[in-house]
Amino acid sequence: MALEEYKRKRRFNETPEPADGVAARPQFRFVVQRHRASRLHFDFRLEMNGVLVSWAVPKGPSLDPGDKRLAMHVEDHPISYFHFEGIIPEGNYGAGTVQVWDTGTWEPILDWYADPAEAAAKKKRVSKAESERSATAMYEKGDFKFLLHGEKLNGGFVLAKMKRARYGKDNEWLLIKKKDDAIVSPYDANDEEHDWSVLSKHSLAQIAGDQRAAEWQSNRPASAGHTGAKAKNAWVEEALARRAAKQDQTGGNSDSRAKREQKSLAPAKKKPAAKKTVAKKSAAKKSLAKKSQGESSDRSEDGPGALTGAKRQTMPSEIHPMLATLVDGVFDDPKGEWLYEIKWDGYRAVCFIRDGEARLISRNGNDLSHDFPELLELPKHLRLSKAILDGEICALDAQGRSSFSLMQQRTGLRTASRHSASDRDVAIVYYLFDLLYADGYSLMNVAVEQRKALLQQALETGERFRLSEHFNDGHALFEAAKANQLEGIIAKLRGSHYAQKRSREWLKVKVTQRQECVIAGYTDPKGSRENYGSIVLGLYDAAGELVHVGQAGSGFTHKSHAALWTKLRELATSKSPFTKKVEATRRVHFVKPELVAEIKFVEWTHENRAAGVGGGVKMRAPVFMGLREDKQPKECVFDFGLSAAG
């Protein structure tokens, strides 16, 4: 098994598909990718012997033993293809949209499985290498039996090579479900209820993003990682440029419009300053250059202290991150007083750097260093010996979009008694947007635009560490975020200082409604669902009382549903944490209000919001996105969004 055929068919300077493999895992994994190319089909891939052995299944796998699915053996793929989801551009092999339809682990069904009494003891004595040899032998024989442990697919399967190929080819197999407790009959993998990604939870159409997504340019490299300037968010500028071109076609003076848009689409530049300030910035830049060559200086006139507002002080050991205030929409900025950034959907993290060592602290004070060991290399990429930086740790999908669902897969799910395995193959990046302390000076009273300028000078960007760039046109950036299914944007007053609290000098505008809610209970299951049906959600009002705001029963995978059930059982209580009666059509079981869930929803259903805070206001169509271990339950308060004009 090798990757020569896979590489021969692809131009990696044009397609975002990975070129190289990654190290094998302790367990065998499988992935099923739904692929809308010239024809809609499923790609079934098993990790074995350092590659993903692959079959194209036109109708998709089935949990009904009566369905014998044709499976066409295709070229091996690299293991790094395991998480590939997105769009293969036109003109490339397999052009179209790819969805990660299911993932999990698999194991070969060996001879000793025929005797269940001996299975457990013998299984412990069989090494991975022995299992792989047995699996390879079955594969080469054309009678490949295995068990799947996935989000959607479970139980025994067999891949049987057809001796008399119906189309005269030598690559035709049949994928058949074995008879066991995991049977579902009838079963159609193309049904709408199964059309969701186990990574992003997006449908195939959402991943495609209609016609605009076909033009998406990934901010990941086509093959390996980013280096240097390539790590910038080029896709943002490209999305903004497409918007400008579209506006230009709608009418008006094309020459003047093009000039206006070209100016607004450029990353935000520093506004003109007094000569003294410019000179100080130049001195700071020279100081950083000297520092990178091994020299150091802490004189106030030659270093970070040259910036207006910088204060000489001991490096603080604790920082409470500055928070943005939610507003109801994008606002006009005729004076150019604001700069605009993408709102990244990940874990907020403040990084403390001292003498070559880094420490990552979450928004609520938890140490994240052990979860993201690769980010502890940040001091090597910074021309400062002591620093405090603020940013967002993100897991990116195949299109370079931050994905909270992927982040949960990366970190694993914690319960009181155990911590599920994290998936270190999920790539993460640290988007840095602020510099709060630099070599003996607090910069929190320095204007944010100047702090970001110094950060840009001090930071060597690359595959893992990126500068969260800012732009001048808030309306254009919001439309770009909306077109690419991002969470929203952040607006910051150019002259704002860093306040360790929520402030109106930083504003957030969301594309979709999102809210962190307390999980305070669950309802009885219905139909085929086990354990629980929906989670019961609450928010704290101004009086500190927990108010019921609805139930979320969608957005779960088989794995996340089971993992959450473990946590809910540990927190069971007979006492309701709500001050008023819960409105629900099924019986409610209460839990201690200790879990925080991120919820996506359409709108608030109560128009009189002021009255609704006391009871009655509900979320319309809430969807569970994941647990927020970086948020405290008491932070879950009503946040309807203030007027952007106020």
Side-chain angles (χ1 to χ4, degrees), residues 328-341:
D328 56 4
V330 187
F331 52 91
D332 293 327
D333 180 25
K335 296 182 181 179
E337 296 176 333
W338 298 81
L339 54 85
Y340 304 90
E341 304 174 10

Side-chain angles (χ1 to χ4, degrees), residues 63-224:
L63 291 174
D64 186 345
D67 297 331
K68 296 182 179 180
R69 301 300 198 198
L70 177 66
M72 309 294 290
H73 201 317
V74 297
E75 71 274 10
D76 298 336
H77 282 52
I79 293 177
S80 53
Y81 211 91
F82 187 85
H83 289 123
F84 177 70
E85 180 174 276
I87 299 171
I88 302 173
E90 290 293 333
N92 288 272
Y93 177 77
T97 307
V98 178
Q99 174 193 63
V100 178
W101 187 82
D102 195 20
T103 60
T105 61
W106 71 274
E107 55 184 303
I109 299 178
L110 306 176
D111 293 340
W112 45 264
Y113 268 90
D115 184 358
E118 301 179 14
K122 290 186 176 181
K123 184 176 179 180
K124 292 180 181 179
R125 297 199 299 267
V126 177
S127 67
K128 181 182 177 182
E130 291 176 296
S131 294
E132 196 162 44
R133 284 194 292 271
S134 298
T136 302
M138 287 192 289
Y139 163 76
E140 292 176 346
K141 186 179 178 181
D143 185 18
F144 194 0
K145 300 181 180 70
F146 49 88
L147 288 170
L148 297 182
H149 310 286
E151 305 284 349
K152 301 177 182 179
L153 300 179
N154 284 279
F157 287 81
V158 61
L159 273 164
K161 189 173 183 181
M162 298 175 64
K163 296 181 179 179
R164 296 182 179 179
R166 67 178 80 175
Y167 300 115
K169 299 181 179 179
D170 191 41
N171 64 339
E172 297 174 18
W173 297 57
L174 291 176
L175 177 62
I176 308 169
K177 177 76 181 76
K178 294 179 71 67
K179 294 181 180 180
D180 53 30
D181 294 338
I183 291 174
V184 177
S185 180
Y187 188 89
D188 186 352
N190 280 301
D191 279 351
E192 186 177 353
E193 65 176 303
H194 304 307
D195 181 18
W196 51 274
S197 162
V198 297
L199 295 187
S200 66
K201 298 183 182 175
H202 292 159
S203 67
L204 196 64
Q206 287 174 323
I207 295 169
D210 55 55
Q211 294 181 353
R212 289 173 297 192
E215 303 169 358
W216 179 275
Q217 298 295 319
S218 172
N219 81 333
R220 279 188 176 185
S223 53

Side-chain angles (χ1 to χ4, degrees), residues 33-51:
Q33 287 156 314
R34 195 167 179 234
H35 187 182
R36 186 180 293 281
S38 56
R39 293 182 179 180
L40 179 64
H41 66 279
F42 291 74
D43 293 309
F44 184 84
R45 312 187 196 280
L46 299 173
E47 179 182 353
M48 187 165 62
N49 296 324
V51 297

Side-chain angles (χ1 to χ4, degrees), residues 151 201 408 413 415 519-537 551-570 586-591 595 597 599 624-627:
E151 305 284 349
K201 298 183 182 175
Q408 285 223 304
L413 186 63
T415 69
I519 301 177
Y522 59 90
T523 63
D524 281 338
K526 183 180 179 181
S528 60
R529 176 167 282 187
E530 298 180 349
N531 303 322
Y532 63 96
S534 301
I535 52 174
V536 180
L537 306 170
Q551 285 90 243
S554 61
F556 296 98
T557 65
H558 177 79
K559 184 177 181 180
S560 65
H561 188 272
L564 183 55
W565 174 238
T566 301
K567 298 176 79 73
L568 293 174
R569 286 185 298 175
E570 294 172 351
R586 278 175 271 167
R587 182 186 176 189
V588 174
H589 304 265
F590 297 110
V591 299
L595 301 177
I599 303 296
F624 175 80
M625 301 301 294
L627 290 180

